[in-house]
């Protein structure tokens, strides 16, 4: 079946460097792609989303890139901070299917001081 | 503004026992959902509701029941707990079915012995 997955289970980043988290998806009919952040002991928190007709969207210190040709999604975090240490999930949604998000397995980001 | 509140935070059950996981939101959101999170896997949708009186199945509904008698509350019932239901459960809500920005509760860690 269709699925959303991640390339790297753990990413270690030096504080101040940029982080790039990757995600592959297979459902070309998805309307939206979303990134969530989950800190230890907490529920996931929405970071940013991108519509399928866009290539790039920027937020505060984060940028999401969408490459529909290779079905690839990435989240870039600028100037990574200790507070960015968390597990990051990508998700996809096909609104016509009822807003039932499909989540990937997650990537853990560890920020080294 | 409390957001999404889940109770209890931790629960241990014996096989065959039943229980209800509570979820309440104070944001007047129409859409509510339940996910389970297992190690190494993304969140999987159990059940969801697009409004009071309306519920539907997600990806992994077997063994769980839900009801939505009010906009605020969306309890999840385990009828006869099984070890395979050991997991962390998250309740989430969003404004409506066209919105991917889910607000998650802090989770319930359930162990079934």
């Amino acid at each position: 079946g269709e699925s959303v997955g991640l390339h790297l289970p753990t990413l270690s980043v030096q504080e101040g460097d940029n982080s790039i988290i990757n995600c592959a998806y297979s459902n070309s009919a998805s309307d939206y792609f979303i990134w969530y952040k989950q800190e230890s002991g907490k529920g996931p928190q929405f970071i940013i989303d991108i519509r399928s007709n866009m290539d790039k969207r920027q937020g505060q210190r984060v940028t999401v890139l969408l490459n529909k040709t290779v079905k690839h999604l990435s989240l870039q975090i600028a100037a990574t901070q200790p507070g960015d240490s968390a597990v990051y999930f990508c998700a996809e949604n096909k609104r016509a299917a009822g807003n039932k998000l499909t989540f990937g397995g997650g990537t853990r980001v560890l920020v080294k001081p | 503004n409390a957001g999404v509140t889940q109770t209890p935070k931790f629960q241990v059950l014996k096989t065959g026992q039943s229980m209800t996981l509570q979820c309440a939101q104070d944001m007047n959101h129409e859409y509510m959902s339940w996910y389970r999170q297992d190690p190494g896997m993304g969140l999987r949708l159990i059940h969801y509701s697009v409004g009071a009186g309306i519920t539907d199945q997600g990806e992994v509904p077997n063994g769980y029941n839900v009801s939505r008698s009010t906009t605020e509350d969306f309890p999840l019932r385990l009828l006869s707990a099984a070890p395979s239901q050991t997991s962390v459960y998250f309740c989430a809500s969003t404004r409506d079915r066209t919105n991917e920005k889910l607000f998650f509760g802090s989770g319930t860690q359930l162990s079934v012995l």
Side-chain angles (χ1 to χ4, degrees):
Chain A
E2 305 285 8
S3 64
V4 175
L6 295 174
H7 295 164
L8 299 174
T10 303
L11 179 66
S12 292
V13 182
Q14 198 70 39
E15 182 178 354
D17 287 352
N18 296 335
S19 303
I20 300 176
I21 308 165
N22 296 302
C23 177
Y25 68 92
S26 57
N27 188 350
S28 57
S30 291
D31 304 309
Y32 282 85
F33 301 89
I34 314 101
W35 283 100
Y36 282 86
K37 172 187 180 183
Q38 185 177 25
E39 297 175 270
S40 181
K42 297 182 179 180
Q45 182 179 15
F46 174 90
I47 301 173
I48 192 169
D49 63 359
I50 186 168
R51 192 169 180 172
S52 59
N53 62 356
M54 300 171 65
D55 298 323
K56 178 179 179 179
R57 190 175 186 201
Q58 288 185 292
Q60 187 176 9
R61 278 202 309 118
V62 296
T63 300
V64 56
L65 300 177
L66 178 62
N67 186 332
K68 294 181 287 294
T69 301
V70 295
K71 296 181 182 176
H72 184 267
L73 183 71
S74 68
L75 178 70
Q76 301 179 1
I77 305 173
T80 310
Q81 303 171 356
D84 295 326
S85 291
V87 177
Y88 291 81
F89 295 94
C90 63
E92 62 175 332
N93 188 29
K94 188 174 186 296
R95 285 187 174 181
N99 207 27
K100 295 183 283 187
L101 273 65
T102 300
F103 284 82
T107 292
R108 182 175 301 279
V109 172
L110 299 175
V111 181
K112 298 177 290 185
Chain B
N1 191 339
V4 179
T5 302
Q6 288 184 239
T7 57
K9 291 190 180 298
F10 301 95
Q11 183 70 51
V12 178
L13 293 177
K14 295 181 179 179
T15 297
Q17 286 185 315
S18 63
M19 79 158 296
T20 299
L21 279 63
Q22 301 292 343
C23 176
Q25 53 90 10
D26 61 0
M27 298 174 282
N28 201 32
H29 285 170
E30 290 186 2
Y31 183 96
M32 297 186 73
S33 54
W34 276 101
Y35 286 86
R36 60 177 288 172
Q37 184 175 38
D38 300 298
M41 301 180 71
L43 290 88
R44 292 183 292 169
L45 182 65
I46 304 172
H47 285 286
Y48 67 100
S49 169
V50 299
I54 306 170
T55 63
D56 206 345
Q57 297 181 349
E59 180 185 355
V60 288
N62 293 340
Y64 308 95
N65 276 356
V66 291
S67 60
R68 185 91 181 273
S69 57
T70 66
T71 300
E72 295 77 20
D73 301 299
F74 191 44
L76 178 72
R77 298 183 185 85
L78 281 71
L79 304 176
S80 178
S84 62
Q85 293 179 305
T86 294
S87 187
V88 181
Y89 291 85
F90 288 99
C91 178
S93 73
T94 189
R95 183 187 66 215
D96 55 49
R97 63 185 300 162
T98 67
N99 195 310
E100 290 82 14
K101 186 178 181 180
L102 297 178
F103 292 81
F104 283 86
S106 57
T108 295
Q109 187 170 324
L110 176 67
S111 295
V112 182
L113 306 178

